[in-house]
């Protein structure tokens, strides 16, 4: 059997990390883990249970006390051939992509205890190797020993346009300006927050995909995977 590696993909919001991570995982027959979905599910929980007030103020202590009641996991849906996010047994894959969740997820993900819980889960999920995980701190905190680390970036207007198109295709109401504003503020917050901020791991390979097609990025990463595996032919 071929040895399996872990791949960490970090970068700014809406860089196409998940599209790429999914296609790489599929090609290699690896498991894709969307760590952002876990922070989104936690944010949805906080909204549903009143830990985020109508004014946006977070009851941090209340949420920390409730953390043991929050169960987040992924299940593979064979119909859509994708992992979907479950919060306490409920499929929340669609709800966690709403702008309401996007607007509150950054401060929720800066709560130390939230990160400790989710990072512990993420580390456990990657124990058996053969994982492609994307997020903000995967190469630096969650999987500092990942065999391959990718750091993605792209022009922010291009990213906002891609995100806007994606939301529209999912039937989620929004405007381009609203999406751009959310993206800029999340980038700013995620890069400057006190706990595990977004930063490039020193040993990460950087991809600026402003002018790259998905296929070009896919081939680039695949070539890096093959290099890591020391293979010259197809690894599947
Ligand atoms: O990848 P995403 O945009 O769905 O992530 C949503 C938010 O979750 C993002 O703005 C910051 C936070 N996040 C994080 O703090 N650490 C991660 N590993 C992944 C996401």
């Amino acid at each position: 059997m071929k040895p399996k590696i872990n791949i960490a993909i970090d970068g700014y919001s809406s860089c196409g990390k998940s599209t790429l991570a999914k296609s790489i995982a599929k090609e290699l027959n690896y498991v894709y883990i969307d760590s952002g979905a876990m922070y989104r599910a936690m944010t949805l929980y906080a909204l549903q249970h009143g830990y985020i007030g109508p004014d946006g103020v977070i009851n941090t202590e209340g949420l920390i006390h409730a953390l043991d009641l929050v169960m987040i996991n992924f299940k593979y849906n064979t119909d859509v051939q994708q992992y979907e996010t479950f919060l306490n047994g409920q499929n929340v894959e669609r709800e966690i992509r709403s702008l309401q969740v996007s607007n509150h997820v950054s401060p929720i993900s800066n709560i130390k205890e939230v990160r400790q819980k989710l990072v512990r889960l993420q580390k456990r999920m990657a124990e058996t190797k053969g994982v492609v995980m994307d997020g903000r701190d995967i190469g630096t905190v969650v999987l500092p020993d990942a065999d391959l680390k990718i750091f993605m970036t792209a022009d922010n207007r291009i990213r906002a346009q891609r995100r806007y198109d994606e939301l529209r295709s999912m039937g989620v109401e929004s405007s381009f300006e609203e999406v751009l504003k959310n993206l800029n503020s999340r980038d700013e917050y995620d890069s400057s927050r006190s706990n595990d901020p977004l930063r490039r791991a020193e040993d990460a390979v950087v991809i600026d995909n402003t002018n790259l097609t998905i296929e070009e990025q896919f081939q680039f990463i695949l070539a890096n995977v093959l290099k890591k595996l020391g293979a010259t032919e197809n690894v599947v």
Side-chain angles (χ1 to χ4, degrees), residues 13 17 34-37 39-40 97 105-106 109 115 134-138 186 190 193:
S13 302
K17 298 187 294 291
D34 177 355
S35 70
Y39 290 95
R40 287 173 178 274
R97 310 290 163 193
V105 66
S106 281
S109 59
R115 299 203 74 80
D134 74 351
R136 305 294 187 287
D137 61 342
I138 310 304
R186 277 202 293 145
D190 295 344
R193 71 182 177 209

Side-chain angles (χ1 to χ4, degrees), residues 216-233:
E216 285 168 333
Q217 298 166 60
F218 174 80
Q219 291 302 338
F220 178 81
I221 295 191
L222 200 59
N224 276 278
V225 171
L226 293 176
K227 222 189 308 172
K228 288 286 169 188
L229 284 168
T232 50
E233 289 172 31

Side-chain angles (χ1 to χ4, degrees), residues 21 38 42 53 55-56 62 66-67 71 75 78-79 84 93 118 131 134 137 156 158 160-161 180 189 212 223-225:
M38 300 168 81
M42 184 62 81
D55 46 6
L67 281 181
M71 246 190 56
K75 280 188 204 159
T78 43
D79 290 345
E84 293 183 329
E93 187 56 40
L118 298 187
V131 158
D134 74 351
D137 61 342
N156 63 344
I158 299 266
Q161 186 64 50
L180 180 66
Y189 197 107
L212 293 179
N224 276 278
V225 171

Side-chain angles (χ1 to χ4, degrees), residues 2 12 25 27 30-31 46 65 77 95 97 120-121 124 128 137 141 143 160-161 167 170 181 188 193 206 219 234:
K2 298 266 188 211
Y12 293 97
E27 174 75 17
Y30 281 15
V31 174
H65 272 102
N77 180 340
E95 279 164 284
R97 310 290 163 193
R120 207 179 316 125
L121 269 172
R124 210 178 302 145
T128 47
D137 61 342
V141 176
L143 305 175
Q161 186 64 50
L167 286 171
M170 288 163 68
K181 198 170 140 214
E188 166 68 22
R193 71 182 177 209
V206 179
Q219 291 302 338
N234 203 342

Side-chain angles (χ1 to χ4, degrees), residues 6 31 33 38 68 70-74 115-131 133 138 141-144:
N6 278 339
V31 174
I33 297 168
M38 300 168 81
D68 284 346
V70 188
M71 246 190 56
I72 298 167
N73 60 313
F74 297 104
R115 299 203 74 80
Q116 282 168 344
K117 178 184 170 97
L118 298 187
V119 168
R120 207 179 316 125
L121 269 172
Q122 290 154 7
K123 282 180 184 282
R124 210 178 302 145
M125 288 172 173
E127 267 168 7
T128 47
K129 291 239 177 182
V131 158
M133 195 181 300
I138 310 304
V141 176
V142 180
L143 305 175

